[in-house]
Amino acid sequence: MTDTMLDLGPQTLVIARLAAEVTDEQLADPTPCPELAVRNLLGHLLGLTVAFRDAGRKDLGATTDSAPGGVPDIGPGWREELPKVLDELADAWRDPAAWTGMTRAGGVDLPGAVAAAVAIDELVIHGWDLARATGQEYAPDPAALRAAHDFLEASADDPGRDEIFGPIVPVPDDAPLLDRAVGLSGRDPGWTRVL
């Protein structure tokens, strides 16, 4: 987990660039998340971005109270909406007040810094999912990647982690940091799309 404020902007820009390159033909393609096609992964990214934007603003309500679940989808305006809410997410977490006190996300009350760590993890790992699913190169923001890895590593011994992330996929200690983070998230870093 990160002990200091981190600018989420560089990672949200990575996600926005990846999403902009997704073609309509790819929306039904599989992703490393077995239950989600690309369109559902984009829907999940859109929903979590709104939820963590509002958690950062401490604007608690329907968007922060809903537990994740189901298979999300995108609407017709997702190409305009996703980059907009990604920018708003980054702006919300640039405010030092977002990192202090308590907030809520996914229906769970948690400290601001923990909510930020979860948001960073979601952006880094789902960025990898989206890049892999659509055959794009992926270079996450290095600071966000380090924070996501540290967050996932800190939860490795938590008995309830598999309900959130899935079982850890073993990765060599000398593997690239991204591969180690992906393995800690319950994904196989070697996953490739099969169409």
Side-chain angles (χ1 to χ4, degrees), residues 15-51:
I15 301 293
R17 281 191 218 108
L18 290 169
E21 295 299 319
V22 175
T23 67
D24 289 344
E25 294 74 28
Q26 292 175 316
L27 292 176
D29 288 353
T31 72
C33 307
E35 68 282 3
L36 302 181
V38 170
R39 69 179 308 111
N40 308 122
L41 176 60
L42 288 164
H44 178 62
L45 274 165
L46 188 54
L48 77 87
T49 299
V50 169

Side-chain angles (χ1 to χ4, degrees), residues 23-105:
T23 67
D24 289 344
E25 294 74 28
Q26 292 175 316
L27 292 176
D29 288 353
T31 72
C33 307
E35 68 282 3
L36 302 181
V38 170
R39 69 179 308 111
N40 308 122
L41 176 60
L42 288 164
H44 178 62
L45 274 165
L46 188 54
L48 77 87
T49 299
V50 169
F52 282 99
R53 173 201 66 194
D54 292 349
R57 291 174 174 173
K58 304 218 167 89
D59 182 11
L60 309 183
T63 61
T64 60
D65 290 347
S66 301
V71 179
D73 203 350
I74 49 171
W78 75 269
R79 289 188 185 277
E80 296 76 32
E81 189 178 2
L82 183 58
K84 177 181 174 284
V85 296
L86 284 165
D87 284 345
E88 292 170 353
L89 170 71
D91 285 343
W93 288 96
R94 288 185 181 116
D95 182 349
W99 296 75
T100 61
M102 296 295 289
T103 191
R104 185 180 312 123

